[in-house]
Amino acid sequence: MSNLNHTTTTPTSTSNGSNTAHFNHHQDLGSYFLKLARQSSPALGTPCASTMMDEEDREDEPTELNTINSSGGFLVMSTDKLSVKYTNVNLHGHDVGAVQANKPAPVKRLVYYFEIYVKNAGAKGQIAIGFTNESFKMRRQPGWEANSCGYHGDDGYLYRGQGKGEPFGPTFTAKDTVGAGINYVSQELFFTKNGAVVGAVGNEMKGSLFPTVAVHSQNEEIEVNFGQKQFAFDLKEYEAQERSKQQIAIEKISLPPNVSYGLVRSYLLHYGYEETLNSFDLASKSTVPPIYIAQENGFDEQDIMYALNQRKTLRQLIRNGDIDAAISKLRDWYPQIIQDERSATCFLLHCQKFIELVRVGSLEEAVKYGRNELAKFFELPGFDDLVQDCVALLAYEQPQVSSVGYLLEKSQREIVADTVNAMILSTNPNLKDLQGCLHSYLERLLRQLTVCCLVRRSLNGDQGESFHLHRVLNSGKKTKC
């Protein structure tokens, strides 16, 4: 890299080794943002974040009763495998008509839940609902054997792995709807009757748990609902309340104002939002008492203060679509960043210029610009697919609604602006950490939070709802791929 003068202090290279190191650093940074731009494309085989989250969390769910693993000699099952009837006369505790679901309860979620509707309470109303493990004896009531739990209709007792039950809730009979669920956050089993929670107990069972129902007196008949129709219990409201409890617990954690303000301030500095930063500083000083950011909090602002005004100017130009002006400023201020005309940074700038021409309908000029600037990247590995997407914009009368319409979204401008911002930060002669050019302190903290949540979940047997930062930040908004 040649040592060229510009209006902002830049690193000087005294040896070929230093030049090579800086060149490699720029390549690494540019490659990161090139990958980010590629991930925005639904046509390049990279699913959007929300789709990837859904794929990770997808599990087989119970859909019907298991006709093979059941005490079939004591019950009759409907052809849809969702209703059972006890047809015998019970004589002892080992002729129960018990049956499990065809799949265990899925665990990668906040709550799992299912219901039964009692069509006929039969002679004694000895109906039960609960969960059992894979080795459960099907001729016994759930809760009578180890690693099983059941809420029984004839006495309202809860049985947890032994023959003796404990008072739990009301009895249930014909025309009642009763539900059983697993709360993976609190590690509790809960039961409902006619849409209201009856109670909850700690889940001490090990291994996969199967939704299980049982009938044990003549003519008892129940229907099972695994979610194929609406539940009597408002499961979404229950989940919302559980998430609210988590949020309240988080909000009770005290965080010194100067720490939180420091994180926000470092974010604004990192991305060059100078005007917002000035307003933020003014607001923090007008609070009672005023909030002052001390260096001992671990924030080193020297690196991210670097070239703040230039970075702000370039970000505004790119966000406004004025790519020519941005390139001109870079030539004046940081020529080493765009010295290599085939670098990822130059490529993204040229792509954005092409996109802006298409946006305003200057198609002939876009074609000419593409031939002059984009053609050189067409056969280079890592660039050709994005070039094809850019050129494909010309094929549509309404490119905004096409498969390559993502290129016309504002988020694409942000990727280019972030690229230039990071490249400028990397020219700081006092730079200590190249990764600091990519992410602000706040973003690095959020990444660490994500890792901690994943580790905590893995220690809990991967049970419970996955933590996805993307989902949290976009809650309340419609996620768009």
Side-chain angles (χ1 to χ4, degrees):
M1 183 185 298
S2 59
N3 178 25
L4 301 173
N5 295 322
H6 48 79
T7 57
T8 304
T9 304
T10 56
T12 56
S13 301
T14 57
S15 67
N16 289 336
S18 179
N19 287 338
T20 302
H22 282 291
F23 177 75
N24 289 336
H25 287 170
H26 283 174
Q27 275 191 321
D28 292 342
L29 290 173
S31 298
Y32 169 82
F33 287 102
L34 190 63
K35 182 179 179 182
L36 207 60
R38 185 175 289 104
Q39 286 176 346
S40 302
S41 168
L44 297 182
T46 304
C48 70
S50 60
T51 302
M52 291 175 68
M53 288 186 283
D54 291 340
E55 288 294 331
E56 290 172 5
D57 293 342
R58 187 166 291 137
E59 299 175 273
D60 288 336
E61 297 185 34
T63 55
E64 59 188 32
L65 296 170
N66 188 339
T67 56
I68 298 174
N69 189 22
S70 67
S71 48
F74 303 104
L75 54 80
V76 173
M77 195 176 302
S78 62
T79 54
D80 63 6
K81 303 179 185 179
L82 293 171
S83 296
V84 291
K85 183 176 182 179
Y86 195 86
T87 54
N88 282 21
V89 177
N90 66 320
L91 300 174
H92 48 74
H94 289 269
D95 57 1
V96 178
V99 58
Q100 293 177 329
N102 63 332
K103 301 285 184 182
V107 299
K108 295 181 179 180
R109 56 182 62 193
L110 188 71
V111 173
Y112 174 73
Y113 179 79
F114 78 106
E115 287 181 343
I116 62 170
Y117 173 72
V118 182
K119 295 178 69 174
N120 191 331
K124 299 179 180 178
Q126 294 177 331
I127 298 167
I129 180 173
F131 295 94
T132 59
N133 71 356
E134 191 170 10
S135 61
F136 179 72
K137 298 175 182 177
M138 287 296 114
R139 295 189 178 189
R140 299 282 283 166
Q141 287 275 17
W144 284 2
E145 299 289 332
N147 280 317
S148 70
C149 180
Y151 174 33
H152 293 209
D154 58 334
D155 56 13
Y157 277 30
L158 187 73
Y159 293 79
R160 293 194 281 172
Q162 53 189 5
K164 184 178 180 182
E166 56 191 270
F168 182 70
T171 60
F172 53 88
T173 187
K175 298 185 179 179
D176 283 330
T177 299
V178 185
I182 307 173
N183 184 325
Y184 290 110
V185 175
S186 63
Q187 283 296 304
E188 291 179 319
L189 304 177
F190 67 95
F191 297 88
T192 68
K193 177 183 175 182
N194 296 330
V197 174
V198 173
V201 293
N203 178 21
E204 300 174 353
M205 293 184 285
K206 306 299 181 184
S208 298
L209 299 182
F210 288 78
T212 305
V213 297
V215 285
H216 196 206
S217 73
Q218 193 170 26
N219 293 325
E220 288 177 2
E221 187 176 2
I222 58 173
E223 290 180 352
V224 186
N225 180 8
F226 290 117
Q228 69 270 20
K229 56 185 178 182
Q230 186 173 346
F231 292 127
F233 178 63
D234 193 339
L235 184 59
K236 289 190 179 297
E237 176 61 24
Y238 178 83
E239 291 175 331
Q241 290 175 3
E242 288 302 306
R243 291 192 179 95
S244 178
K245 289 178 185 177
Q246 294 180 59
Q247 185 63 35
I248 290 171
I250 292 170
E251 290 174 357
K252 286 181 179 178
I253 299 172
S254 177
L255 185 67
N258 59 342
V259 173
S260 55
Y261 271 69
L263 285 168
V264 174
R265 193 172 193 279
S266 70
Y267 178 87
L268 298 174
L269 277 168
H270 179 90
Y271 286 105
Y273 296 121
E274 188 177 24
E275 292 176 3
T276 306
L277 175 67
N278 292 335
S279 299
F280 183 77
D281 284 344
L282 184 63
S284 65
K285 291 174 183 176
S286 63
T287 60
V288 180
I291 298 171
Y292 297 100
I293 310 300
Q295 287 301 311
E296 56 265 26
N297 285 324
F299 299 113
D300 184 2
E301 292 189 348
Q302 294 304 310
D303 287 351
I304 49 179
M305 282 288 292
Y306 178 75
L308 178 61
N309 187 260
Q310 285 83 0
R311 289 188 291 116
K312 178 203 75 171
T313 299
L314 286 163
R315 181 172 290 278
Q316 288 177 338
L317 289 172
I318 295 170
R319 293 179 83 184
N320 292 334
D322 195 348
I323 308 304
D324 283 339
I327 293 174
S328 177
K329 293 290 186 186
L330 280 171
R331 286 199 180 103
D332 291 341
W333 293 342
Y334 303 96
Q336 71 271 44
I337 290 177
I338 56 174
Q339 183 179 14
D340 179 7
E341 293 185 353
R342 296 194 175 191
S343 68
T345 304
C346 284
F347 172 70
L348 290 173
L349 284 165
H350 289 314
C351 280
Q352 197 60 39
K353 170 63 179 177
F354 180 88
I355 291 165
E356 300 303 337
L357 289 171
V358 173
R359 191 194 307 275
V360 297
S362 301
L363 301 186
E364 289 186 9
E365 190 177 348
V367 170
K368 183 179 179 181
Y369 191 85
R371 287 172 177 168
N372 292 335
E373 301 296 346
L374 293 185
K376 67 184 82 167
F377 295 97
F378 192 78
E379 294 184 357
L380 293 179
F383 297 103
D384 53 339
D385 47 7
L386 283 171
V387 173
Q388 290 175 19
D389 273 12
C390 286
V391 174
L393 288 169
L394 300 170
Y396 298 95
E397 290 185 8
Q398 294 182 303
Q400 294 89 346
V401 295
S402 70
S403 61
V404 291
Y406 75 96
L407 292 169
L408 295 167
E409 294 179 2
K410 291 182 179 180
S411 59
Q412 204 65 21
R413 288 178 175 175
E414 291 293 342
I415 291 173
V416 179
D418 288 348
T419 306
V420 171
N421 185 75
M423 298 302 287
I424 294 174
L425 286 172
S426 73
T427 66
N428 183 354
N430 300 315
L431 182 68
K432 301 180 184 69
D433 177 19
L434 186 65
Q435 290 299 311
C437 301
L438 297 176
H439 306 292
S440 66
Y441 290 120
L442 177 59
E443 289 167 308
R444 281 181 270 178
L445 182 63
L446 291 172
R447 283 168 171 250
Q448 184 63 31
L449 170 65
T450 301
V451 171
C452 289
C453 288
L454 289 172
V455 170
R456 185 182 67 174
R457 184 169 175 265
S458 68
L459 293 174
N460 194 33
D462 280 335
Q463 292 187 355
E465 193 172 38
S466 301
F467 175 82
H468 294 289
L469 182 61
H470 183 273
R471 182 178 292 159
V472 174
L473 295 178
N474 288 279
S475 59
K477 298 189 294 181
K478 184 178 179 181
T479 303
K480 187 175 181 180
C481 291

